[in-house]
Amino acid sequence: MVQRIMSASKTTLKDALHEQGLTHLNVRTHGSHLVIYSEEDGGRENRARLTRFNPQTYELSRWTHRGEWEAPPFSGTIAEMLTLITEQFPLSLAKTSQAILYVGHGSRVNEGNEQFEVFIDHVKKNYDKKIIQEVAYIELVSPTILEGIELCIEQGATKIAVVPVLLLSASHAKVDIPRELERAKEVYPEVTFSYGRPFGIEDDVIDVAVDRLTDVGLSALGENHQEREDCTVLVVGRGSSDGKQPSDVAKIARLIYEKIACNNVETCFLAATTPTVEQGLAKVEKLEASHVYVLPYLLFTGVLMEELAEMLGEREGKTGTKYTLCDFLGSDDGLSGVLARRTEETLKREGNV
């Protein structure tokens, strides 16, 4: 008797879903449960569940990104529960739609934000228009991370791959972005989030850094390892209170030294840690370096880049050291391959938040 009731209820529910255009959904019975699920791209995914208490009353549960059932305090007939979920929790039944949210740092200098968006456009072209793609910023400008997530969801996103467009892993990547994603999960429990990783220490990032040095006249080391020039490269990192970033920048400096024809590479930071830029400049002057190539290890221009240029301008002609300021790393599409790899990685990390 119960099996016949559940079988009839299953057919009724499936027909009602398909009448509303939700043809990607199917229904199966499991004991006293009617489980609504989708079958897309060869995979099956639970969406919602109606649990039978008596022939007329069912309790609603939703499948969450955590892989568990969540039961809002609602019960009623099949028709009432279907109306409730389609009106109040539409994402639970929506066709799976993938979004990518590219998260940049954000700058008070609008040119830097524009450079970020142009850079992202190089990678956006890799994806079909069916994939929603938006940008967001950690601080200083809009849209914020939560606003970017809202933009994706407003366009129907049920899965969001969040890609941190950052050179190195520090507090922004480890703390700030994950904190915002935790908030988003509370607001949108039916949305699946995946989170990627910064660029890190990659060969093609180092190659772009070397290109910035050769662009201003410093020679790269050839296969025959020609003689090194009597000059210094000063690698200037953004800086972070995270202890790992200074060690990463030191590794980067060593890798640059192995590819460029200079006899010394030093490091310093624009903020939050030491040695500061002032200390870095004082050191190379104390070492009586005749020519220093200053390499800002930054993705785009901004206040920090402007401050660095100002510091060097103030020293011009006042010391025995000549300074040459290189361009920032994201001044062309040289890093777009790294971003493309990080984006693909994030898309494959489904539900890792």
Side-chain angles (χ1 to χ4, degrees):
M1 178 68 175
V2 173
Q3 287 182 341
R4 287 201 302 271
I5 292 173
M6 293 300 292
S7 179
S9 298
K10 167 187 167 183
T11 301
T12 299
L13 181 56
K14 180 179 176 180
D15 289 346
L17 289 166
H18 288 191
E19 284 174 7
Q20 295 194 30
L22 300 171
T23 55
H24 62 288
L25 299 176
N26 209 333
V27 181
R28 60 185 172 87
T29 59
H30 181 71
S32 61
H33 306 298
L34 295 170
V35 180
I36 302 172
Y37 65 94
S38 62
E39 287 184 308
E40 300 176 69
D41 300 324
R44 176 181 287 190
E45 184 175 344
N46 291 330
R47 296 304 194 93
R49 184 179 69 182
L50 300 181
T51 302
R52 178 179 177 271
F53 283 98
N54 59 55
Q56 297 299 319
T57 306
Y58 291 80
E59 182 181 80
L60 171 66
S61 299
R62 295 183 298 154
W63 188 251
T64 72
H65 65 275
R66 297 183 295 274
E68 58 190 34
W69 292 107
E70 179 180 82
F74 301 118
S75 61
T77 65
I78 288 178
E80 288 170 342
M81 292 299 93
L82 183 56
T83 298
L84 178 74
I85 195 169
T86 53
E87 291 182 356
Q88 293 196 28
F89 309 108
L91 288 176
S92 294
L93 300 183
K95 194 168 185 177
T96 300
S97 182
Q98 180 70 61
I100 303 169
L101 183 65
Y102 304 94
V103 180
H105 186 279
S107 173
R108 292 186 182 89
V109 178
N110 193 51
E111 184 183 357
N113 302 321
E114 291 173 352
Q115 290 164 354
F116 165 70
E117 295 187 17
V118 168
F119 178 62
I120 298 303
D121 284 342
H122 290 298
V123 173
K124 280 185 175 181
K125 297 171 185 176
N126 296 340
Y127 297 99
D128 189 276
K129 290 183 179 179
K130 291 179 182 178
I131 293 185
I132 300 159
Q133 299 186 79
E134 295 289 346
V135 298
Y137 298 93
I138 297 168
E139 58 186 9
L140 302 175
V141 289
S142 293
T144 64
I145 295 171
L146 285 177
E147 288 170 345
I149 288 169
E150 288 169 5
L151 286 171
C152 293
I153 291 173
E154 285 170 2
Q155 296 171 69
T158 58
K159 296 181 179 181
I160 303 178
V162 180
V163 183
V165 187
L166 303 169
L167 283 171
L168 296 171
S169 183
S171 296
H172 284 320
K174 295 177 181 178
V175 179
D176 298 336
I177 300 176
R179 181 176 59 229
E180 294 304 293
L181 294 183
E182 287 299 323
R183 291 175 180 169
K185 283 161 56 180
E186 292 177 5
V187 180
Y188 305 105
E190 63 273 45
V191 175
T192 301
F193 293 93
S194 56
Y195 180 47
R197 60 192 179 109
F199 293 0
I201 303 174
E202 295 273 343
D203 287 344
D204 36 5
V205 182
I206 301 302
D207 288 342
V208 168
V210 169
D211 287 344
R212 297 297 169 266
L213 290 162
T214 58
D215 287 344
V216 293
L218 188 53
S219 299
L221 282 178
E223 293 181 4
N224 298 324
H225 296 282
Q226 72 264 31
E227 195 171 315
R228 293 180 179 273
E229 298 177 25
D230 184 17
C231 63
T232 292
V233 170
L234 182 61
V235 180
V236 183
R238 176 181 288 277
S240 170
S241 55
D242 184 289
K244 188 173 183 295
Q245 193 182 101
S247 63
D248 282 346
V249 174
K251 292 174 187 174
I252 289 162
R254 177 64 198 183
L255 292 170
I256 290 172
Y257 176 78
E258 292 172 358
K259 294 192 172 194
I260 208 77
C262 68
N263 58 10
N264 184 35
V265 178
E266 300 287 345
T267 63
C268 64
F269 300 89
L270 286 157
T273 190
T274 57
T276 64
V277 174
E278 285 290 348
Q279 291 169 335
L281 296 175
K283 180 177 181 180
V284 296
E285 289 167 5
K286 187 175 181 180
L287 292 172
E288 298 182 347
S290 58
H291 194 171
V292 175
Y293 294 86
V294 180
L295 175 65
Y297 205 78
L298 305 170
L299 265 176
F300 309 108
T301 193
V303 172
L304 296 179
M305 188 75 182
E306 291 180 348
E307 289 176 351
L308 180 58
E310 187 177 332
M311 287 182 197
L312 298 180
E314 290 173 353
R315 274 178 151 75
E316 189 172 351
K318 296 179 181 178
T319 71
T321 299
K322 176 186 175 182
Y323 290 101
T324 298
L325 178 60
C326 303
D327 214 343
F328 47 88
L329 301 192
S331 58
D332 57 25
D333 64 348
L335 294 176
S336 59
V338 187
L339 177 58
R341 291 201 302 275
R342 292 294 178 266
T343 302
E344 282 298 308
E345 287 175 8
T346 311
L347 289 167
K348 292 174 183 177
R349 292 181 170 191
E350 185 174 313
N352 71 329
V353 176

